[in-house]
Amino acid sequence: MRVRFDLRVVALALSVACTTALAQRNEKIDGIVGHAVAVVGNARILSAQHSAPIARDGMIAEGDTIETGADGYVYIATVDHGFISVRPDSSLTFEHFQYDGSAPKQSVIKLVLHKGTMREISGAGAQAARDHYRLNTPVAALGVRGTDFSVFTSSDITRADVRSGGIVMTPLGGSCLSSGNGPCEGPAAAQLFAEQRNSMLQVDRGSAHPLLVENRLAVVTPQGAATQKNEDNAAHSVTGQAQGDVGIAPLELQFMNKIPGPQAPAGPPAPATPPPAPSRPEAQQIFWGRFAALAAQPADTSLDALLKEGSDQVGINTLFAMTRTPQTDMVMPVQGVFGFSLQSSAAYVLNASTGAAVPGSISNASLTIDFGKRAFTTQFDLSANDATHSIAGRGAVLDDGKLRSDYASPAAISGALAGKTATQAGYLFMQHIDSKTTAMGATQWAR
């Protein structure tokens, strides 16, 4: 269902003065988060006392949960002059929200995004008390530094992008407990700044470190950009800031190796957090088969059904064809060098004079992809007829994740990447050994 926003609804964001007047008088505001300046579609507020549809101008308190349906949007003006948008199919809990306008550095803010998508522009409390701000998801903890950011989460994956300022994100588990306050620091944390506009951070359940991947708006914000202008108008009305006004220099987020200050006396141990459940391996998404009869063996017709179902043909040579299931949700890392391990293969050495095809075996195989340079290199030994041949290839990783060898590559290679974060790979190869002999085969890889 498409939602149409009435500009008069967005204009109601100006009524934020009713809520923020207390903050402007520098009075301490305990347990009041703010109020809803716009409500569209199915949206409810849940608290210990009641569960009811949330009304425009409805007050939101510490401990409340905002839940939206498939057509629901809630725009919230917070008492510290911040802005929060809860988008469709989402659930957001304000676990702690303590703000003191006269001493903003003493603020404590903790949110939990159980599912769905939210956008936040940090208010005075979050900006002043950055070490006491935390946003938890089922798999990650986020900290902010005066930031305009969006987060999408399910039970197994969290993605975040930044429009202004910066964030730090850490997988939950180990020393990063969901019960903690403030950002989790250390080697498992990763940072993202607005300057990296084409990137987003992603944490999968069970992962040890966030991955920096391509920023695809439809992946971070499944509702797309259709309502972005209305949301921006509401945010501007609430915060008085246009896009780009919110945020700080990236240097202020470089706190990973700061010298620790005096240690406070140890308190009672925090309740133990169970380790994240192990992530389930992704189903195979790259397939290959031999479509030509060879050495008295019939052709492999296993790819026929996949091709009919609309899978993507990514490679073909004299003997083999390779397909990939549609990769509508795949995002590739934007930096880093990753090694892949060979999972399965088939290879033959063909003699052009005799027509003989001798099966071979592959050993010492490697595939390395440099996502920053969008390039790959691969090599392995192919043994057949009591001889071992060195096969090598190099080339480019295209925008759609397909692998194509360059003109200087010894082996002609065509293949592709697959999986949520390009964790699978496959390619077909052909390399001339001499004027009469050619090596040909198929390989499948994983990291």
Side-chain angles (χ1 to χ4, degrees):
M1 177 177 178
R2 299 184 61 183
V3 177
R4 298 183 60 187
F5 281 78
D6 190 323
L7 292 178
R8 292 172 299 174
V9 174
V10 176
L12 287 171
L14 295 173
S15 64
V16 67
C18 297
T19 300
T20 56
L22 292 174
Q24 292 170 345
R25 292 198 302 267
N26 287 334
E27 294 181 5
K28 186 174 182 180
I29 305 172
D30 284 328
I32 300 299
V33 174
H35 77 284
V37 295
V39 180
V40 177
N42 182 19
R44 300 183 66 83
I45 182 169
L46 287 69
S47 69
Q49 290 76 30
H50 68 282
S51 170
I54 185 171
R56 190 181 68 221
D57 290 329
M59 196 67 66
I60 300 165
E62 183 180 64
D64 286 348
T65 296
I66 302 298
E67 291 189 348
T68 56
D71 62 344
Y73 288 82
V74 178
Y75 294 163
I76 300 168
T78 61
V79 292
D80 65 341
H81 309 286
F83 173 80
I84 294 174
S85 168
V86 186
R87 294 174 177 163
D89 288 320
S90 303
S91 176
L92 175 67
T93 296
F94 296 91
E95 187 170 312
H96 295 299
F97 207 100
Q98 299 291 325
Y99 172 67
D100 186 344
S102 62
K105 289 186 178 181
Q106 297 179 13
S107 301
V108 177
I109 299 174
K110 186 174 183 181
L111 315 180
V112 181
L113 181 63
H114 305 282
K115 68 171 185 175
T117 310
M118 65 168 285
R119 175 186 173 189
E120 178 177 347
I121 299 177
S122 301
Q127 293 189 48
R130 299 166 183 168
D131 290 337
H132 299 286
Y133 174 95
R134 166 79 74 90
L135 168 65
N136 278 340
T137 74
V139 296
L142 284 82
V144 301
R145 293 296 184 264
T147 309
D148 180 352
F149 68 104
S150 298
V151 181
F152 163 79
T153 195
S154 67
S155 59
D156 294 314
I157 188 171
T158 295
R159 299 183 177 112
D161 67 358
V162 178
R163 302 182 73 190
S164 181
I167 62 172
V168 57
M169 189 158 72
T170 312
L172 288 176
S175 60
C176 185
L177 302 177
S178 60
S179 58
N181 291 315
C184 291
E185 305 177 25
Q191 303 170 70
L192 179 67
F193 307 107
E195 289 80 359
Q196 299 164 284
R197 187 61 57 88
N198 296 323
S199 304
M200 63 181 179
L201 284 176
Q202 175 168 310
V203 169
D204 296 276
R205 179 172 292 279
S207 62
H209 193 274
L211 192 63
L212 191 66
V213 299
E214 298 172 302
N215 186 352
R216 295 171 55 188
L217 180 64
V219 176
V220 182
T221 59
Q223 289 75 36
T227 61
Q228 190 69 59
K229 183 176 180 180
N230 297 286
E231 187 176 86
D232 286 345
N233 289 340
H236 176 69
S237 296
V238 169
T239 64
Q241 296 168 312
Q243 179 182 351
D245 291 342
V246 183
I248 58 163
L251 179 63
E252 295 183 72
L253 196 54
Q254 305 292 334
F255 62 90
M256 306 302 291
N257 297 313
K258 68 181 181 181
I259 300 175
Q263 298 296 312
T273 299
S279 56
R280 296 184 294 274
E282 290 183 272
Q284 181 178 337
Q285 299 177 47
I286 295 178
F287 304 87
W288 54 266
R290 181 174 48 77
F291 65 84
L294 186 66
Q297 297 181 5
D300 181 356
T301 60
S302 60
L303 297 184
D304 292 349
L306 289 172
L307 290 171
K308 290 179 181 178
E309 293 172 1
S311 65
D312 185 15
Q313 182 171 300
V314 298
I316 189 169
N317 59 31
T318 306
L319 298 179
F320 295 93
M322 179 170 285
T323 65
R324 175 181 67 172
T325 57
Q327 297 294 301
T328 56
D329 294 330
M330 185 181 75
V331 289
M332 292 188 292
V334 296
Q335 65 182 28
V337 179
F338 295 84
F340 288 68
S341 300
L342 185 66
Q343 303 296 301
S344 62
S345 64
Y348 291 87
V349 175
L350 287 74
N351 188 299
S353 299
T354 65
V358 179
S361 61
I362 290 177
S363 60
N364 303 319
S366 68
L367 170 63
T368 302
I369 295 183
D370 186 330
F371 284 100
K373 297 180 178 179
R374 288 292 181 89
F376 74 88
T377 57
T378 186
Q379 62 183 21
F380 55 84
D381 294 330
L382 173 57
S383 300
N385 277 339
D386 298 324
T388 299
H389 311 285
S390 179
I391 308 298
R394 63 177 181 268
V397 181
L398 306 183
D399 289 344
D400 58 1
K402 292 184 179 178
L403 310 178
R404 294 293 184 263
S405 55
D406 57 37
Y407 290 111
S409 174
I413 288 176
S414 58
L417 299 169
K420 290 184 297 185
T421 53
T423 55
Q424 301 179 28
Y427 67 75
L428 306 182
F429 68 89
M430 182 179 69
Q431 180 173 319
H432 296 296
I433 296 173
D434 54 41
S435 59
K436 296 182 179 180
T437 312
T438 301
M440 194 174 297
T443 62
Q444 191 157 354
W445 310 73
R447 65 173 170 91

